[in-house]
Amino acid sequence: MQVQSASATGARRSQPITLVSLTDALEAPGFVMGFGRNEEIFGEEQPADFVYRVVTGAVRTGRILRDGRRQITGFFLPGDVFGLELGELHRSGAEAVCEAEVALVRRSALKLSATGDGLAAHELWTLTAEALDRTETHLMLLGCKTAAERLASFLLAMAERCSGRGRVVDLPMCRQDIADYLGLTIETVSRSFSQLERERLIELPSSRAVMIRRWEALSALATAEDLQSAA
Amino acid sequence: MQVQSASATGARRSQPITLVSLTDALEAPGFVMGFGRNEEIFGEEQPADFVYRVVTGAVRTGRILRDGRRQITGFFLPGDVFGLELGELHRSGAEAVCEAEVALVRRSALKLSATGDGLAAHELWTLTAEALDRTETHLMLLGCKTAAERLASFLLAMAERCSGRGRVVDLPMCRQDIADYLGLTIETVSRSFSQLERERLIELPSSRAVMIRRWEALSALATAEDLQSAA
DNA sequence: CGAGCGTTTGAACAGCGTCAAAACAAGTGG
DNA sequence: CCACTTGTTTTGACGCTGTTCAAACGCTCG
């Protein structure tokens, strides 16, 4: 199913740049680009010449089917790396969810070839393995969970990531993005928000701001445990 | 929580091996274990001391929710590697779909540390990146596709993998496994089989043997292209 | 032959999608 | 400040896809 081997090890090592840590490279100044709301950062099947890291704002990655059905595979917040590929082409597209600044590193500077150094290679592997774990968790969500459970999982994940466990989470993305991420429609997402609010698990000061009122109950719903104790 | 995990049984303990290519190691004789149908190879959250490769038979990996809902994350056929983890624990469990022989390599022999050699590290990264791509494709399936489209995708993938594009695919797994892989129920899977057969896209000599009659139509269904010709 | 399992099929049901409209928010120009 | 616009979110009514519950069918193996 993969077409990687030939292309992956073949080309793209024209300039033997000094070995560079991905993290270091992405933190070096100078390669930062700004993107407007909904602006494309790279498209599906486009050459994967860069690896990206969110500096400010938020980014989404996803794939679309011919008839327009879209699956968002991930949201990326400041500090997150995205766009790292094994092959020569991006398998997913990426767009800015809102105004965003993104740092870039040339892929060729990363020594992806088989002879690259251990440090950078290990770093790449770590990033990819973490992405794999997230994606498998997401798979579980799409394959097994109900609409309310999906939304609960999503809100908890966002809360843990962006608000430093503060009580109010500010969602950078619209309902449609959430729907495409959770494998639901915009209407079902909205209804699930309302349901969680009715049940006093969350509060919605505005449609983009979510206050988590009962963390443990939301967590129980998200993980499909039996709900008993508080934490 | 099975005693039958690999670490418990008599996989020959080897001396600290010199740096080894994963592929080479998995092809070396001596570290092969046999498993019976539905036997656990390793459990969710168990120590990830080994990496595995299917020699004969078939293996499934997956995660379960507390209430029993299960998501199968992958099927593995002869030659496929599974059970490779970034951390110390397996995030998914693995079981034999049918009688299966599996080759093992001690994880410690792979030099996963940051100072490991470039070749093995690149190999690990490649394996993980391929798994990520497969998982994202699977995500698309679960998030966007209808029951018939899911089954069509699955059958085509199986056909490409195991039968060398011969016309008859022999499925090693039962309907329940397929259902849990596709995020459906066993009944819906069965009905979808019947539907594809009624529409003459496939033929079912037996419930486990699938003959693909109209590859291109099945492919169009699977990838959600516009379907022109009908049954 | 019968027991046990896996698969298929049927009928009723429900969760989520679809279609439609209303409520809401944020600009923009008068 | 207020109409008017445009885009987003919410809500309602209805229908379809897939689930649930149940039964029948077809294997394989004693």
Side-chain angles (χ1 to χ4, degrees), chain A residues 83-196:
Chain A
L84 176 58
E85 300 283 345
L86 176 65
E88 296 299 311
L89 298 178
H90 284 294
R91 308 298 316 261
S92 301
E95 293 150 16
V97 167
C98 52
E99 295 288 315
E101 289 176 318
V102 172
L104 290 78
V105 189
R106 290 208 82 87
R107 212 172 86 106
S108 55
L110 294 175
K111 299 290 251 172
L112 300 189
S113 72
T115 55
D117 84 310
L119 187 58
H122 185 264
E123 203 177 352
L124 295 180
W125 180 54
T126 297
L127 283 169
T128 304
E130 286 170 355
L132 177 58
D133 185 46
R134 281 197 305 274
T135 306
E136 286 196 350
T137 302
H138 197 182
L139 211 81
M140 184 100 231
L141 181 150
L142 292 178
C144 293
K145 295 186 182 178
T146 66
E149 288 167 355
R150 293 182 199 199
L151 183 58
S153 305
F154 170 71
L155 291 178
L156 283 171
M158 286 300 293
E160 283 176 14
R161 284 170 70 187
C162 65
S163 71
R165 292 172 183 276
R167 303 213 62 114
V168 172
V169 188
D170 215 320
L171 302 174
M173 70 291 287
C174 67
R175 294 288 187 266
Q176 185 65 62
D177 284 345
I178 299 174
D180 289 347
Y181 180 73
L182 298 179
L184 301 169
T185 60
I186 180 177
E187 294 94 334
T188 299
V189 169
S190 185
R191 276 185 254 269
S192 300
F193 265 111
S194 302
Q195 180 191 334
L196 294 184

